[in-house]
Amino acid sequence: MDWDKLRIFHAVADAGSLTHAGDSLHLSQSAVSRQIRALEEQLNTTLFHRHARGLILTEQGELLFDATRAMNKRLEAASARIRDSEEEVFGELRVTTPIGFGTLWLAPRMRKLYEAYPNLKIDLILEERVLDLPMREADVAIRMKEPSQADLIRKRLMNVKMRLYATRSYLDRAGPLEKLEDFENHRLICQNPSSAQVSAGAAMVQELLSYNIPSLLTVNNYFGVLQAVLNDLGVGVLPDYLPQHFPSLQRVLPDLESGEVPVFLAYPEELRQSKRVAAFRDFVQEEVQAHRRKLREQLGD
């Protein structure tokens, strides 16, 4: 197939309009239309349904658009690798991570990264859905489990455990919490077991809910749980890295915790030589080491 026709088809399918595609390609509407007709004749199929509101892909058009979209992402990856041959670290880097970890651990630390690389543009994508790195939905991922795809470089960063925390002011008002049965006098704040979260955290929540706790607040991410706990609303199930940043948090029921949750950094094999990826990877690893040092110092105290 003619690469130029495929490029024009992709622009039209993406824009849903001959006019808008022509504007982005700096071609006239008639020139774009001729190229689409020629491609349809070459393939002996109809790629678009003409509609009053624009163009709609046919089933065959959808198949071709899937292929050109994959090609386009590969070209973007190649372009990124070429740009990364420069000595300076600059340009956009798309990083995906779960909402809780990205909000509470990563984002507060990123000032150091920008101080070192002021021309870097980070697009931080916070969501629980696992994005497809080889298809360039993101460049780098921090995930709460080991990635299953074989063509990814992965590095285990740290382990996290879910534990129970409350503020001293809440405990002074609500009374001590020394055993699970004491929850009859306390409010539990946690993620809903059915919401997207690490399996170890969900298992811990399920165990706690088996005690028929009378007062309960469930939230769909850890940031909401943290805010409720900091405002003296109850006892929350939270990651163990938080007390370092929120000294008012005190651990309760220290014998109760989740299993270990591994934290992995991953990126596609094709970005192995990327200076932007290397800069971000090194920054995260340095921050993990600093986090561990602080924990050791606190334990020493």
Side-chain angles (χ1 to χ4, degrees):
M1 279 183 273
D2 188 315
W3 283 93
D4 199 46
K5 288 186 178 67
L6 290 175
R7 178 177 65 90
I8 293 171
F9 162 79
H10 181 82
V12 173
D14 192 48
S17 161
L18 293 172
T19 302
H20 292 157
D23 290 342
S24 66
L25 296 169
H26 305 293
L27 295 172
S28 67
Q29 180 180 338
S30 59
V32 173
S33 181
R34 283 196 302 272
Q35 292 292 330
I36 294 299
R37 283 199 303 271
L39 183 59
E40 288 179 326
E41 290 172 3
Q42 182 182 356
L43 296 174
N44 193 29
T45 191
T46 301
L47 298 172
F48 295 98
H49 292 303
R50 275 66 177 175
H51 191 277
R53 290 175 296 179
L55 299 177
I56 300 173
L57 285 165
T58 63
E59 183 179 351
Q60 292 78 13
E62 289 280 6
L63 288 171
L64 186 59
F65 188 41
D66 285 344
T68 59
R69 189 159 40 205
M71 291 162 53
N72 195 54
K73 288 182 181 295
R74 291 294 184 186
L75 289 171
E76 286 178 357
S79 177
R81 289 180 64 183
I82 292 169
R83 291 195 302 272
D84 279 337
S85 65
E86 303 291 335
E87 288 301 318
E88 186 180 359
V89 175
F90 71 100
E92 184 180 64
L93 185 71
R94 292 167 295 173
V95 178
T96 177
T97 185
I99 296 170
F101 190 85
T103 303
L104 301 172
W105 193 92
L106 181 59
R109 290 171 160 81
M110 291 185 67
R111 179 174 60 88
K112 293 181 182 178
L113 179 63
Y114 279 105
E115 286 174 350
Y117 305 105
N119 295 323
L120 199 56
K121 299 175 182 178
I122 302 291
D123 180 11
L124 190 55
I125 307 166
L126 303 180
E127 60 177 284
E128 307 305 323
R129 182 172 67 92
V130 176
L131 301 188
D132 191 327
L133 297 185
M135 288 301 294
R136 296 304 307 280
E137 289 186 332
D139 301 310
V140 182
I142 297 178
R143 295 177 177 167
M144 303 297 110
K145 63 179 181 179
E146 185 170 6
S148 58
Q149 290 171 296
D151 50 352
L152 294 179
I153 297 172
R154 75 281 317 271
K155 169 72 176 177
R156 189 164 183 158
L157 297 172
M158 59 195 289
N159 294 314
V160 173
K161 289 185 177 182
M162 306 303 296
R163 293 172 172 168
L164 286 169
Y165 296 97
T167 59
R168 170 49 55 191
S169 54
Y170 167 81
L171 293 171
D172 288 342
R173 187 184 76 244
L177 180 58
E178 297 175 350
K179 56 186 183 298
L180 281 169
E181 288 74 15
D182 292 340
F183 255 114
E184 65 183 16
N185 301 314
H186 291 271
R187 180 176 298 107
L188 176 65
I189 308 170
C190 59
Q191 281 201 269
N192 189 301
S194 62
S195 63
Q197 61 183 304
V198 295
S199 58
M204 182 178 177
V205 168
Q206 288 282 19
E207 179 185 353
L208 289 167
L209 294 180
S210 70
Y211 283 82
N212 295 317
I213 296 170
S215 187
L216 177 68
L217 170 64
T218 59
V219 190
N220 68 343
N221 65 61
Y222 293 127
F223 182 73
V225 175
L226 173 65
Q227 292 304 308
V229 172
L230 291 176
N231 285 280
D232 301 338
L233 195 58
V235 179
V237 179
L238 289 166
D240 62 1
Y241 54 77
L242 288 178
Q244 188 180 115
H245 309 287
F246 300 95
S248 63
L249 293 178
Q250 297 201 13
R251 189 176 178 189
V252 297
L253 298 178
D255 292 334
L256 182 63
E257 63 184 12
S258 75
E260 287 190 341
V261 179
V263 181
F264 281 86
L265 182 142
Y267 51 93
E269 180 77 34
E270 64 195 28
L271 293 180
R272 177 185 291 274
Q273 303 302 323
S274 167
K275 289 183 172 58
R276 283 172 293 179
V277 170
F280 181 80
R281 178 199 63 211
D282 294 346
F283 152 74
V284 171
Q285 290 179 325
E286 288 167 6
E287 287 302 305
V288 167
Q289 291 170 2
H291 172 73
R292 288 173 176 160
R293 283 196 299 271
K294 287 182 180 178
L295 286 179
R296 286 196 296 269
E297 291 169 3
Q298 289 173 356
L299 290 173
D301 294 339

